[in-house]
Amino acid sequence: MLRHALIQKLSYGLIMGLAVALTACGSGGGAGGAGGNNSGSLTTKNLRIEAGPNATQDALSAFYQAAPCTVIEFGEGTFNLETTLIVVDTECVTIKGQGRDKTILNFAGSDSREGILASHVKGIIIEHLTVLNTPGDAIKVSDSTFVTIRHAKAEWTGLGCTPNKPNCATNGAYAIYPVLSQHVLVDD
């Protein structure tokens, strides 16, 4: 029992240490500005995506550009996205919306399985958004450390269902799926 309590305290300490590091990482750059990652300093690169006909291309571009200490911010609205948004092999990344009921990432027309996929990321925060109607997993984080998912919602609405087809929705396997990852916090 004492060993379990010690492990919990150490885990909590590591998560709190990461929170301090991510807060420091997110303090530069300014709203709407973009900065690079200068060696020796932590500068945030801010990328903002607005809802509209170019949402998929803008989001793919932002996720592709995700260098260390990048904040990818979605504005308010419903984003009809056509493919998985992938971030890989980086660190200190934040993906955020304006609130669970204000930023909706709708993957009903997607040609791929996941909504958001993060792999091999050291320090990732996904917050304040809803991922909707993915063909597979809504939010999947794999082989990553220091993962925080908060104030996020994953939902399948049964889009296309009728009284004659009440069980037509094909939900993904998992709504929020942190797999092969360490120091994971899913909150609210």
Side-chain angles (χ1 to χ4, degrees):
M1 188 60 117
L2 181 61
R3 182 176 175 190
H4 179 69
L6 180 60
I7 290 171
Q8 282 184 321
K9 285 182 182 182
L10 287 173
S11 296
Y12 178 76
L14 288 171
I15 290 171
M16 293 308 294
L18 176 67
V20 170
L22 288 175
T23 301
C25 183
S27 64
N37 185 24
N38 302 332
S39 59
S41 68
L42 296 174
T43 302
T44 302
K45 181 176 187 175
N46 293 298
L47 303 168
R48 187 167 170 96
I49 304 138
E50 297 296 340
N54 297 324
T56 296
Q57 287 71 31
D58 293 346
L60 287 172
S61 176
F63 276 68
Y64 179 76
Q65 293 178 54
C69 295
T70 297
V71 175
I72 300 171
E73 182 176 9
F74 289 88
E76 284 190 31
T78 298
F79 296 77
N80 294 310
L81 301 167
E82 300 164 1
T83 192
T84 300
L85 303 176
I86 301 172
V87 60
V88 294
D89 294 323
T90 191
E91 59 187 336
C92 186
V93 173
T94 299
I95 301 165
K96 69 179 185 176
Q98 305 306 306
R100 275 190 292 226
D101 298 323
K102 295 181 179 178
T103 302
I104 313 293
L105 308 183
N106 185 1
F107 291 88
S110 179
D111 62 2
S112 52
R113 214 167 141 61
E114 286 88 10
I116 296 174
L117 173 61
S119 180
H120 297 88
V121 179
K122 183 178 180 182
I124 183 165
I125 298 172
I126 301 171
E127 62 185 357
H128 308 299
L129 51 76
T130 292
V131 177
L132 195 65
N133 296 322
T134 57
D137 305 324
I139 300 171
K140 182 176 181 179
V141 180
S142 177
D143 300 289
S144 297
T145 56
F146 303 108
V147 177
T148 300
I149 302 170
R150 64 179 164 229
H151 308 293
K153 178 169 76 172
E155 182 178 11
W156 289 270
T157 62
L159 196 62
C161 293
T162 65
N164 295 332
K165 289 176 34 179
N167 298 318
C168 63
T170 55
N171 294 1
Y174 297 98
I176 297 174
Y177 187 30
V179 61
L180 301 172
S181 296
Q182 297 178 341
H183 310 293
V184 176
L185 173 65
V186 179
D187 186 24
D188 188 31

